[in-house]
Amino acid sequence: MKTSLILLGSLALCALYPGGANAEATGAPKETPVGSKPLGIAFSVKMTGPYAQDADLQIICAFKHKAAGDAYQGAMKDSDAKLGGLISSLRNRGEFVAELGETILFVPPKESIPAKLFLIIGLGDESSLSLDTLRVVGRVAAREAVRLKAKRVAWAPVIRDEGNSTIDVGDGDSAFVESVLAAYDTQQRLQAQGLAEKFAISEWVIEAGPTFFDGAVEKIGKGIQATLPVLQHRETAPYSTLTK
C-alpha cells in the first residue's frame, strides 16, 4: 500500500511519489533552505525522492553487493523500478560492486526520471558503515559534480531504504554536507590559482522524507555553521611553487 512507505528520511527517502495524490493536495513538495548559500551553493532539504527531482546530477548511495541479494525498499525500490531495473541489473551482474568510493554514472532511460545524469556512489561493506563513510561519499560527490559540470545537484543516500538504521539521519546528512563543502572549497581554491577550469555549483538538494525532515534541516544547518570557520582558516599559500 502506497502510504506504508512514508516512514523514510533523508537517509531513508519518501517513497510516496511527489506527482501523486498527496502532492496534488498539498501543492509542491516541502523544501527548506539551509545555510546562507555557503560557498555560493544554495543547499536545501526537500521532501522528495531521487526518482522525482529535476537535477543535472542525481546521486544515491549503495552498499557493497551481497551475493544473497540486495535489500531494496521504499525510494531505492521505486527508483530502480522507474529506471526499468537498471540499478539491480548492474549489481546482480557484478558490474557495480559498490566498494567504498566506487562510482557508476549513467544517463537515465528516456521518459523514466527527470534527472539528466544519475550517479551511484559505493558505501562499501554494510558492517563498516560510519559517519566517515558519509564523509568519503561527500568528497566524491562534490568532485564528481564539478567534473561533470553539474550546476544543480541532488543527493539521496537511501541507506534506510537498503534496510540499515545504524546512523542517525541528520548526523549522516550533516557529515555528508560538511565534506561536500570541504571538497568544493578546495576546488574553488584550485580555480582561483588557475589550476582548474572555472565552474560553480548553484544548488544542492538533500532529498528527505517526512519523518526525519526537520532533524535533517537542523543538523545540516549546524554542520554548515561549524564547517565554514574551519575552511576560512585553511592555508592560503599557493598549492604549487610554480603558481604566481
Side-chain angles (χ1 to χ4, degrees), residues 41-114:
I41 302 176
F43 283 96
S44 68
V45 177
K46 187 173 182 180
M47 201 175 291
T48 189
Y51 46 79
Q53 179 63 24
D54 183 9
D56 296 327
L57 177 65
Q58 172 66 57
I59 306 172
I60 67 169
C61 302
F63 286 114
K64 185 176 180 179
H65 176 64
K66 302 178 181 66
D70 301 305
Y72 291 164
Q73 59 191 34
M76 186 65 160
K77 181 178 180 180
D78 289 351
S79 296
D80 189 43
K82 290 182 182 298
L83 290 166
L86 197 163
I87 298 172
S88 54
S89 290
L90 287 168
R91 288 166 66 67
N92 292 336
R93 296 177 189 184
E95 295 173 32
F96 178 63
V97 179
E99 297 281 6
L100 178 59
E102 180 185 359
T103 63
I104 191 161
L105 176 74
F106 57 81
V107 176
K110 290 183 178 180
E111 300 181 2
S112 59
I113 64 173

